[in-house]
């Protein structure tokens, strides 16, 4: 059978990955169609109205470990302003031996919770003097060249259990939505892992790579909300001629076709830029879906919050009993949010512990979690509005990534997004641009064969 090739590339999924590829291909003159299941593109960059402003209901910052986001903004001339978080920094909440929950600013120089100097005062404040003495031995320990252990095993064997429990685990769970026992450092932070292998020490690698300033500077944001990045990229892609269809779920995909309801698109190349479970469905592979990522955005009116009691936010060690594993005080972190909110009104994001989002969906539950994490006595009446959001396909587990990658390669389908690149814009965007470059460097149908068999 001869199938007419009508498009150069069809992309399934209009999150930041799909939009990046659509923009790149369209500006290179390629005939590109992007199909997005929801009514709005942007994926996990989504806006929601709360307290009179358009807040982020998904991702709200990006890591500066790569220049991927800044490069895209510059190259696409997106009219967005990249901003630094306020210098408040974030805290960690942990349980002392006495049972009391304590809070302390996160160490200024650390990566993935691993300190550059385990004996620095801000580290000792969290892991104690004995924990610091143990962690300081890391630099002189022999480096094992065996298979890479999980991040939890790695951190515990090299730095000791305190560093894992109070720094690495809370960081990993709040930033990457996965336990440290289910991920590897080489996947989370490949540059750090490579440097540690080269230097034979995590401490030495963190010391070499960690910014000389506080931890919060490892991320940046967008004035007015990160959702603007996707919205402006969408507009830019349309301007250069991309055909972006929303409310158009793909039902099946092959290397050269994408089936929609009532229509089949054919193309020289097909890119899946969906979440991992959706990609697995389109590729007909079985993967165990990861639990949804639950987030609550709450409007809080409480005087005690005016003083930014936990800086830009707080992450919880596993031994702190709370339905939320992390809290972001949005207006303490982003000056644009503070300027946009009415005086005395605060915006708080709570990331739910796995399976416990249900405890946070009303004012009483949100107030309890805020009290536990911040130590601030707020009442349910202080929580004026709660917006719960569940992201069902946000986490790409290593097994899902492996299964989806193999199935896509076997079928000749290209993969983009977090399932191919790892979580986060700093990984997803450069990967998407590299894939687009590979696609544009191959001949267009007019330059090559116009038919596939
Ligand atoms: C609460 C939360 C906070 C986060 N915080 C940060 C952060 O601070 N910094 C950071 O860098 N990252 C953060 N992330 C992760 C980041 O948002 C993602 O890594 C990134 O947005 C993934 O983009 P993507 O394009 O790969 O996928 P998505 O954004 O998931 O886009 C995939 C798109 O595919 C669509 N789709 C699915 N199935 C189909 C189908 N059959 N047909 C058509 N379309 C389909 C979906 O509707 C969706 O729009 C966060 C994520 C969440 C959920």
């Amino acid at each position: 059978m001869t199938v007419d090739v009508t498009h150069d590339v069809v992309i399934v999924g209009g999150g930041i990955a799909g939009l990046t590829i659509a923009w790149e291909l369209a500006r290179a003159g390629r005939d590109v169609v992007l199909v997005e299941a929801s009514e709005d593109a942007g994926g996990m960059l989504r806006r929601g109205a709360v307290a009179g402003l358009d807040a982020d209901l998904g991702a709200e910052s990006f890591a500066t470990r790569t220049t991927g986001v800044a490069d895209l903004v510059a190259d696409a001339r997106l009219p967005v302003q990249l901003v630094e978080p306020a210098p408040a920094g974030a805290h960690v909440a942990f349980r002392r031996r006495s049972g009391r929950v304590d809070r302390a600013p996160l160490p200024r120089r650390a990566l993935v919770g691993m300190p550059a100097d385990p004996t620095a005062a801000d580290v000792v404040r969290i892991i104690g003097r004995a924990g610091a003495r143990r962690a300081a031995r890391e630099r002189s320990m022999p480096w094992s060249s065996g298979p890479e252990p999980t991040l939890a095993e790695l951190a515990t064997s090299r730095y000791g259990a305190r560093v894992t429990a109070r720094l690495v685990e809370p960081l990993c769970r709040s930033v990457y939505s996965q336990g440290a026992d289910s991920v590897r450092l080489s996947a989370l932070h490949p540059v750090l892992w490579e440097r540690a292998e080269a230097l034979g020490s995590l401490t030495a690698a963190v010391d070499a790579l960690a910014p000389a300033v506080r931890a919060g500077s490892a991320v940046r944001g967008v004035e007015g909300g990160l959702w603007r990045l996707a919205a402006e990229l969408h507009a830019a892609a349309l301007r250069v001629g991309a055909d972006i269809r929303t409310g158009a779920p793909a039902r099946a995909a092959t290397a050269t076709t994408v089936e929609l309801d009532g229509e089949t698109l054919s193309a020289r190349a097909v890119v899946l830029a969906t979440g991992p479970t959706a990609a697995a469905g389109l590729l007909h592979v079985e993967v165990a879906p990861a639990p949804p990522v639950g987030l609550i955005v709450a409007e809080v009116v409480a005087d005690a919050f005016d003083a930014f009691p936990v800086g830009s936010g707080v992450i919880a060690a596993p031994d702190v009993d709370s339905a939320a594993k992390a809290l972001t005080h949005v207006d303490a972190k982003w000056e644009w949010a503070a300027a946009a909110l009415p005086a005395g009104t605060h915006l708080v994001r709570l990331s739910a512990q796995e399976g416990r989002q249900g405890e946070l969906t009303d004012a009483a539950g949100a107030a309890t979690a805020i009290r536990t994490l911040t130590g601030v006595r707020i009442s349910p009446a202080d929580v004026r509005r709660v917006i719960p959001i569940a992201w069902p396909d946000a986490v790409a587990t290593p097994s899902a990534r492996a299964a989806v990658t193999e199935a896509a390669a076997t079928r000749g389908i290209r993969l983009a997004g977090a399932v191919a690149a790892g979580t986060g814009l700093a990984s997803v965007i450069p990967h998407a641009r590299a894939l687009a470059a590979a696609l544009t460097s191959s001949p267009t149908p007019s330059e090559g064969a116009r038919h596939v068999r």
Side-chain angles (χ1 to χ4, degrees), residues 312-405:
S312 61
V314 55
I315 57 176
D319 58 4
V320 174
D321 181 23
S322 164
K325 63 185 175 189
L327 174 153
T328 304
H329 187 167
V330 177
D331 45 299
K333 184 169 180 180
W334 305 112
E335 276 161 18
W336 61 262
L341 285 167
T345 298
H346 298 272
L347 213 56
V348 167
R349 284 162 60 103
L350 292 170
S351 306
Q353 298 274 14
E354 196 180 313
R356 295 185 67 178
Q357 191 182 15
E359 297 172 46
L360 295 168
T361 51
D362 61 10
T368 302
I370 294 170
R371 271 201 308 272
T372 306
L373 293 187
T374 63
V376 171
R377 305 219 139 266
I378 70 158
S379 72
D382 298 328
V383 180
R384 301 293 162 86
R385 179 138 189 251
V386 176
I387 305 179
I389 315 111
W391 292 101
D393 201 10
V395 179
T397 60
S399 59
R401 286 184 70 180
V404 167
T405 305

Side-chain angles (χ1 to χ4, degrees), residues 122-136:
D122 56 2
V123 180
V124 177
R125 164 101 170 77
I126 296 167
I127 62 172
R129 270 199 286 273
R133 273 196 300 277
R134 164 65 187 84

Side-chain angles (χ1 to χ4, degrees), residues 91-443:
H91 286 52
V92 59
F94 53 95
R95 193 168 284 281
R96 293 234 175 252
R97 276 222 204 118
S98 63
R100 187 173 62 86
V101 174
D102 199 0
R103 297 153 201 89
L106 280 166
R108 293 167 91 84
R109 298 195 62 238
L111 289 175
V112 199
M114 294 183 280
D117 176 5
T119 60
D122 56 2
V123 180
V124 177
R125 164 101 170 77
I126 296 167
I127 62 172
R129 270 199 286 273
R133 273 196 300 277
R134 164 65 187 84
R137 298 211 314 260
E138 196 282 330
R139 229 181 226 272
S140 52
M141 286 168 68
W143 186 259
S144 160
S145 53
E148 184 187 354
T150 66
L151 176 61
E153 289 163 345
L154 177 74
T156 303
S157 65
R158 300 215 48 104
Y159 278 114
R162 271 282 167 86
V163 169
T164 307
R166 292 189 179 172
L167 288 167
V168 175
E169 186 69 52
L171 243 297
C172 190
R173 293 191 319 158
S174 66
V175 176
Y176 300 99
S177 296
Q178 293 176 80
D181 57 356
S182 63
V183 292
R184 288 186 161 70
L185 183 60
S186 59
L188 288 192
H189 201 315
V191 176
L192 177 58
W193 173 246
E194 272 167 33
R195 189 64 76 92
E197 279 198 302
L199 297 175
S201 157
L202 290 163
T203 314
V206 175
D207 196 19
L209 294 172
V213 284
R214 67 193 167 70
S217 65
V219 299
R220 293 179 86 191
V222 168
E223 185 163 305
L226 195 63
W227 60 268
R228 288 179 190 272
L229 181 70
E232 293 297 350
L233 185 59
H234 185 175
L238 291 176
R239 277 198 298 276
V240 289
D243 177 358
I244 297 179
R245 305 184 190 176
T246 54
R251 303 298 182 194
T254 69
T256 53
T257 61
V258 170
E259 232 174 84
L260 308 176
D261 293 333
E263 187 185 358
T264 300
L265 302 174
S266 60
R268 189 173 52 84
V270 167
V271 178
L272 296 189
T274 67
T277 311
L282 290 165
L283 292 164
H284 305 292
V285 282
E286 295 265 322
V287 297
V293 171
L295 179 74
I296 284 88
V297 179
E299 182 183 330
V300 175
V301 179
D303 290 348
F305 264 76
D306 293 347
F308 302 159
V310 286
S312 61
V314 55
I315 57 176
D319 58 4
V320 174
D321 181 23
S322 164
K325 63 185 175 189
L327 174 153
T328 304
H329 187 167
V330 177
D331 45 299
K333 184 169 180 180
W334 305 112
E335 276 161 18
W336 61 262
L341 285 167
T345 298
H346 298 272
L347 213 56
V348 167
R349 284 162 60 103
L350 292 170
S351 306
Q353 298 274 14
E354 196 180 313
R356 295 185 67 178
Q357 191 182 15
E359 297 172 46
L360 295 168
T361 51
D362 61 10
T368 302
I370 294 170
R371 271 201 308 272
T372 306
L373 293 187
T374 63
V376 171
R377 305 219 139 266
I378 70 158
S379 72
D382 298 328
V383 180
R384 301 293 162 86
R385 179 138 189 251
V386 176
I387 305 179
I389 315 111
W391 292 101
D393 201 10
V395 179
T397 60
S399 59
R401 286 184 70 180
V404 167
T405 305
E406 192 192 328
T410 308
R411 291 166 178 73
I413 297 178
R414 317 299 175 102
L415 268 191
V419 69
T423 302
L425 272 55
S427 303
V428 165
I429 290 176
H431 176 276
R433 296 191 75 181
L435 176 57
L439 287 167
T440 39
S441 64
S442 50

Side-chain angles (χ1 to χ4, degrees), residues 12-13 15-17 35-38 43-44 59-61 249-250 273-274 278 391 417-418 424-425:
V12 180
I16 197 70
V35 294
E36 163 56 45
S38 344
M44 289 186 263
E60 53 95 49
S61 59
T274 67
W391 292 101
L425 272 55

